[in-house]
Amino acid sequence: MNYFRKDLKVLRSMTNISIYNPEYVREIVSQLRNKYSSVNRSDFVIGSVINKPLFDFIIAVILSQNTSDRNAIKAYNNLVKLFGSPLDPVKLLESESSVIINAIKPAGMYSKRYRWITDLAKLFVNKDFVENLVEYVKNNDVDDSRRKLLELPGIGYKTADVILLIYFNKPSFPVDTHIMRITKRLTSLRSLEYEDVRMFWMNNLEPSEYFEVHILLITHGREICRAKKPLCEKCVINKKCRYYSKM
Ligand code: SF4
């Protein structure tokens, strides 16, 4: 029985993929590190807002939902031209809806995003609200902080996990569409849900690795493990991949 089959047996024996299997993950991460040693973080929308206030950070991550980072960066930069850097929620609320909608159009889904952005601006004009939110997240554990963030307009699990990990440096692993697809293919477990995939990576990585591996997996999904016609022959982790072993 080869190494991969042994791993798979362990995975399959669980009803949930939240298992401890660091050796398997370690080899995958090591290959991805070698392959993508020079990833440019400015290609990611979070690279534009990494040192900005929470309002900017949340808006940028909301703009990146269900679209490419390139489109999200364009939309965010349009908002910066109109409402300053950092973004001023007061100016934003004084603006005509058509001006905001035009600015965020490159990211798509502009009606929904317009509503979320203006609802967030209404909250973020209140300094007490912002201070209380930041204090709450800083002083509570990941689960409670996550629940708090999920109450905000436009924030789902992935967005909350990005905010926790990158803005607050809290140990949570965000799962985007690339990471979901790669994990399903690696394990051949198609019914995995967001929380399963999140826990799989969290159980097998050190918290200090979460951000790096998040970026590595997204890069791998964009360049090699594409949704359509993945480039498996060129893939550095194909020996660990159940999808590839079945081809
Ligand atoms: S072998 Fe193919 S399906 Fe598996 S991770 Fe690599 S590109 Fe994706």
Side-chain angles (χ1 to χ4, degrees):
M1 183 180 285
N2 67 27
Y3 176 66
F4 175 76
R5 285 185 193 286
K6 214 164 49 189
D7 284 337
L8 193 69
K9 197 174 164 196
V10 177
L11 288 171
R12 284 200 179 290
S13 70
M14 310 297 289
T15 51
N16 187 310
I17 199 172
S18 310
I19 57 161
Y20 185 64
N21 199 347
E23 202 183 332
Y24 174 69
V25 168
R26 181 98 0 248
E27 291 188 26
I28 288 171
V29 169
S30 163
Q31 296 293 339
L32 294 178
R33 273 190 185 124
N34 290 340
K35 167 85 179 162
Y36 305 113
S37 54
S38 57
V39 171
N40 188 354
R41 291 189 183 182
S42 65
D43 290 343
F44 292 81
V45 70
I46 43 173
S48 312
V49 286
I50 205 113
N51 294 315
K52 296 275 177 74
L54 183 57
F55 183 59
D56 286 61
F57 194 90
I58 295 179
I59 299 295
V61 181
I62 283 179
L63 289 171
S64 74
Q65 293 167 355
N66 303 105
T67 190
S68 68
D69 277 57
R70 190 184 304 169
N71 291 340
I73 291 169
K74 230 184 257 174
Y76 174 74
N77 287 339
N78 286 345
L79 289 178
V80 166
K81 277 182 210 149
L82 291 166
F83 308 117
S85 177
L87 294 172
D88 182 344
V90 176
K91 276 192 192 163
L92 199 142
L93 289 173
E94 287 168 355
S95 174
E96 293 287 326
S97 59
S98 58
V99 172
I100 300 172
I101 285 172
N102 267 338
I104 62 175
K105 253 186 188 161
M109 288 168 51
Y110 48 84
S111 302
K112 257 191 202 170
R113 289 194 221 267
Y114 167 76
R115 191 160 27 86
W116 291 334
I117 288 170
T118 48
D119 285 350
L120 281 165
K122 285 174 196 160
L123 296 171
F124 275 77
V125 288
N126 180 344
K127 286 197 173 119
D128 287 344
F129 167 83
V130 181
E131 275 173 25
N132 289 338
L133 176 65
V134 170
E135 282 308 301
Y136 186 92
V137 176
K138 276 185 181 167
N139 296 323
N140 283 279
D141 65 19
V142 167
D143 288 346
D144 286 343
S145 305
R146 202 169 181 234
R147 270 192 286 275
K148 190 79 177 167
L149 291 172
L150 288 169
E151 291 170 5
L152 298 177
I155 297 198
Y157 291 118
K158 187 203 115 186
T159 305
D161 290 329
V162 170
I163 296 166
L164 286 171
L165 177 66
I166 302 168
Y167 190 86
F168 288 101
N169 202 19
K170 292 225 161 203
S172 195
F173 190 89
V175 176
D176 84 328
T177 176
H178 297 293
I179 297 174
M180 181 67 85
R181 181 174 68 251
I182 293 170
T183 312
K184 285 183 178 183
R185 285 175 174 169
L186 282 172
T187 60
S188 198
L189 296 175
R190 290 190 191 158
S191 59
L192 295 183
E193 300 206 351
Y194 183 96
E195 206 56 25
D196 303 319
V197 175
R198 174 175 174 256
M199 291 314 295
F200 172 72
W201 293 102
M202 285 175 70
N203 283 347
N204 293 299
L205 293 168
E206 294 298 326
S208 59
E209 297 174 304
Y210 290 176
F211 182 38
E212 179 202 10
V213 174
H214 173 78
I215 297 285
L216 287 173
L217 288 168
I218 293 175
T219 306
H220 188 60
R222 286 177 182 173
E223 295 189 8
I224 302 288
C225 193
R226 301 167 181 168
K228 287 183 189 159
K229 297 189 182 165
L231 306 174
C232 298
E233 291 302 330
K234 291 186 178 173
C235 175
V236 293
I237 52 174
N238 58 17
K239 289 189 178 62
K240 300 272 169 238
C241 179
R242 180 66 176 161
Y243 177 96
Y244 182 69
S245 76
K246 284 181 178 172
M247 285 171 84

